[in-house]
Amino acid sequence: MSSHHAGILIIDFGSQYTQLIARRVREAHVYCEIHPPSRSVAWIREWAPCGVILSGGPNSVYGENVPLADPELLELGVPVLGVCYGMQVLAQLSGGTVQRASRREYGRAGLEVLGGRLFRGFGEGEETPVWMSHGDHVDTAPPGYTVVARSANSPVAAIEHEARPIYGVQFHPEVAHTPRGGEILANFLFDVCGCAPDWTPGQFVEREVVRVRELAGGARVICGLSGGVDSSVAAALVHRAVGDRLTCIFVDHGLLRLHEREQVEQTFRRHLGIDLRVVDAREKFLERLRGVSDPEEKRRRIGHTFIDVFEEEARAVGDDVGFLVQGTLYPDVIESVSPSGGPSVTIKTHHNVGGLPERLPFRLIEPLRELFKDEVRQVGRELGLPEEMVGRHPFPGPGLAIRIIGDVSEENLEVLRRADHIYIEEIRAAGLYDEIWQAFAVLLPIRSVGVQGDERSYDQVVALRAVTSRDGMTADWFPFPPEVLSRISSRIANEVDGVNRVVYDVSSKPPATIEWE
């Protein structure tokens, strides 16, 4: 935790919506962090939150070995809001009874508002739609609590303590299906907790620039650029803090999209005036990928080669380099709780530089580790990065290698590059780019018969993928208007030599992943 900032502490009981609660709180310009239920009351006291939110979760409070909270949490005097399972934890700690509901409630429900501070701005007796997802409910309000809302199946749908700032709601205010959920959360954040709405991109940049400047001292700093949003924003932020003591290294592994290297050079050299070193390692990567078709083996070889090339270049920058910038984001550092109740710590290594810090004698600077992806984009805009860079779809570290199913050759890369370029160009022309989380073309290792002119052709197949998602965890395929798909398909078949068939992937995640490999 950067001690600079108290805010809301979210205790994660394993709900799929926990990160969504955090996003909503931050959209209200209030800082928050997600922590596991194992955090002690002493730790919480020291963190000094202006409020605590207990998330939902998949367990029953009366089950065995389920995560609960310390009753002392309610004695701290800090406002507490329990959501769904979090409300049941509150009720149990306060002597209420939680039981299996006679009917499990999933989906929309009408909530009748009876009063209370959480519902300030709602009419008494007003009915408002909310999203329920639970098999248990609180049967009777615990002693000292008032029922402030009910629904047909949940006689106790929201509670409020008569003397202390403690609240519980049985529904999910954080999801879009609860239209006025934002108002309920805002009532808690501002009316109950008295939080300051000071978590904004501008203030984040100011604070982070000061922190990075102090951390770096007089040392030189290096940053590996990939052309993606995270590394670009991290580099621009650190550059604002340390100026020409930053050197950026861009490894061209030959697996990039069309014109990608030129775009990076233009933005960083001309636009930001950053010291940028471009390493042309295309031959080395292609050599190591020759004849390899297994996707895991491709990733492994690209990762190792990247580390070798980057390390050599990093050492060449000079002896006074003390720090390496990494574009780690908040979802990568959250300790997640496994549904079984045991803590499962999952920390992913960043795909571009997994394994680097151990081998290089540098300390890490991770300026984005408190941010979600949408916040990174806002910070990029604040730093003046061009929109086409800030708004870019995610792109995997191994690049086009994992979008060529089978052997990665220069010919295949050229075909895929041109098909992908046409695809993205048409998506932008149709005004659909920003509605899509990720769109890309995949080259398949099969040839099919076609007719081009009077000749029968025996050429390759390109598959198109486009998905909508909030965070990449789950994804739906994007329903293109048929005329857009038609235009993309005919342009690829006509303009890209070696392709005679274009297919569109209509699989969701799960069961399919977003990438094919």
Side-chain angles (χ1 to χ4, degrees):
M1 162 70 188
S2 40
S3 51
H4 64 245
H5 217 74
I8 293 286
L9 183 60
I10 298 170
I11 303 293
D12 178 17
F13 288 108
S15 163
Q16 55 177 339
Y17 298 131
T18 302
Q19 287 196 25
L20 201 48
I21 299 176
R23 306 271 284 263
R24 292 281 178 260
V25 171
R26 291 183 176 201
E27 281 164 17
H29 304 300
V30 173
Y31 182 70
C32 62
E33 280 184 21
I34 296 172
H35 285 274
S38 53
R39 295 285 185 234
S40 67
V41 168
W43 184 93
I44 293 172
R45 191 183 284 116
E46 195 176 326
W47 200 88
C50 61
V52 175
I53 296 178
L54 307 177
S55 87
N59 297 291
S60 275
V61 286
Y62 47 75
E64 280 179 40
N65 297 326
V66 298
L68 293 170
D70 187 325
E72 218 186 308
L73 174 66
L74 307 184
E75 311 291 330
L76 289 178
V78 175
V80 178
L81 170 63
V83 173
C84 200
Y85 177 80
M87 164 162 151
Q88 294 160 16
V89 169
L90 273 183
Q92 184 141 22
L93 294 180
S94 310
T97 52
V98 177
Q99 294 188 340
R100 187 127 303 304
S102 52
R103 290 181 49 196
R104 306 180 73 171
E105 218 174 356
Y106 289 104
R108 270 179 226 284
L111 184 80
E112 186 190 344
V113 174
L114 307 172
R117 276 177 89 175
L118 283 186
F119 299 102
R120 180 164 287 189
F122 289 69
E124 200 165 315
E126 178 175 341
E127 185 159 299
T128 183
V130 297
W131 186 257
M132 293 281 191
S133 173
H134 61 97
D136 298 341
H137 66 195
V138 177
D139 202 40
T140 47
Y145 285 82
T146 308
V147 177
V148 290
R150 61 185 173 213
S151 75
N153 283 328
S154 297
V156 184
I159 53 175
E160 174 179 319
H161 193 279
E162 289 155 14
R164 300 186 199 158
I166 303 174
Y167 303 82
V169 293
Q170 184 55 75
F171 55 92
H172 286 279
E174 70 275 19
V175 301
H177 300 299
T178 301
R180 296 187 68 182
E183 291 171 61
I184 296 167
L185 285 173
N187 281 337
F188 179 69
L189 298 175
F190 303 118
D191 191 38
V192 175
C193 301
C195 294
D198 61 359
W199 177 254
T200 61
Q203 288 187 289
F204 171 80
V205 169
E206 274 174 43
R207 281 194 294 261
E208 200 54 30
V209 161
V210 170
R211 193 185 74 83
V212 170
R213 200 172 281 152
E214 286 172 1
L215 180 64
R220 293 213 21 206
V221 180
I222 55 170
C223 176
L225 278 182
S226 69
V229 182
D230 306 339
S231 66
S232 302
V233 174
L237 187 60
V238 171
H239 181 247
R240 184 168 288 192
V242 304
D244 56 15
R245 294 208 312 281
L246 171 70
T247 296
C248 287
I249 298 171
F250 181 73
V251 176
D252 181 353
H253 49 28
L255 309 169
L256 299 167
R257 289 165 289 193
L258 202 61
H259 309 315
E260 190 149 23
R261 175 169 158 181
E262 296 80 55
Q263 281 166 348
V264 169
E265 293 191 72
Q266 192 175 349
T267 300
F268 284 89
R269 282 208 182 114
R270 277 189 228 155
H271 187 81
L272 295 171
I274 288 178
D275 172 30
L276 173 66
R277 309 194 176 186
V278 176
V279 191
D280 187 341
R282 292 178 293 187
E283 284 185 9
K284 184 178 281 189
F285 277 89
L286 274 176
E287 178 55 45
R288 293 208 186 162
L289 285 169
R290 188 160 294 136
V292 177
S293 57
D294 176 64
E296 274 314 300
E297 184 60 19
K298 280 183 197 172
R299 284 177 188 271
R300 209 181 60 77
R301 290 193 181 201
I302 292 167
H304 285 307
T305 310
F306 182 89
I307 288 171
D308 293 343
V309 171
F310 189 89
E311 190 173 1
E312 191 179 329
E313 196 62 27
R315 293 188 190 280
V317 171
D319 300 333
D320 54 347
V321 175
F323 293 88
L324 171 69
V325 178
Q326 245 180 271
T328 315
L329 302 195
Y330 192 46
D332 297 326
V333 297
I334 296 171
E335 294 182 43
S336 64
V337 182
S338 66
S340 62
S344 67
V345 180
T346 49
I347 302 216
K348 295 181 285 198
T349 49
H350 195 261
H351 56 234
N352 285 336
V353 276
L356 264 177
E358 299 89 85
R359 287 177 53 168
L360 289 168
F362 307 141
R363 289 170 63 197
L364 281 184
I365 292 181
E366 299 178 302
L368 311 178
R369 60 177 288 126
E370 295 181 336
L371 303 184
F372 288 104
K373 190 80 170 191
D374 45 352
E375 294 176 309
V376 173
R377 297 190 200 279
Q378 290 162 356
V379 166
R381 291 184 185 103
E382 184 72 29
L383 290 163
L385 287 172
E387 189 57 40
E388 65 269 21
M389 185 168 256
V390 173
R392 278 189 99 167
H393 293 172
F395 186 64
L400 301 180
I402 57 168
R403 292 174 178 175
I404 292 174
I405 313 298
D407 205 7
V408 181
S409 63
E410 190 47 71
E411 305 80 65
N412 279 345
L413 281 164
E414 204 43 50
V415 168
L416 181 56
R417 235 179 237 122
R418 297 191 34 217
D420 192 74
H421 187 69
I422 290 169
Y423 183 31
I424 299 300
E425 199 170 66
E426 287 297 331
I427 288 175
R428 285 195 187 277
L432 298 172
Y433 189 83
D434 293 337
E435 289 179 36
I436 295 170
W437 167 265
Q438 210 174 355
F440 54 89
V442 179
L443 188 63
L444 305 188
I446 43 180
R447 293 184 182 268
S448 72
V449 175
V451 182
Q452 284 170 323
D454 296 330
E455 303 281 310
R456 278 165 73 85
S457 63
Y458 192 57
D459 280 338
Q460 286 175 288
V461 180
V462 163
L464 306 177
R465 182 87 163 122
V467 296
T468 54
S469 176
R470 281 217 51 154
D471 48 21
M473 306 289 279
T474 59
D476 288 318
W477 56 276
F478 182 76
F480 279 112
E483 64 277 10
V484 176
L485 273 181
S486 168
R487 195 159 56 240
I488 293 165
S489 168
S490 65
R491 273 198 66 194
I492 291 176
N494 287 323
E495 295 173 37
V496 183
D497 280 346
V499 175
N500 66 359
R501 196 175 289 271
V502 177
V503 298
Y504 186 54
D505 177 354
V506 292
S507 323
S508 294
K509 171 186 178 179
T513 50
I514 295 178
E515 296 285 347
W516 277 45
E517 290 208 330

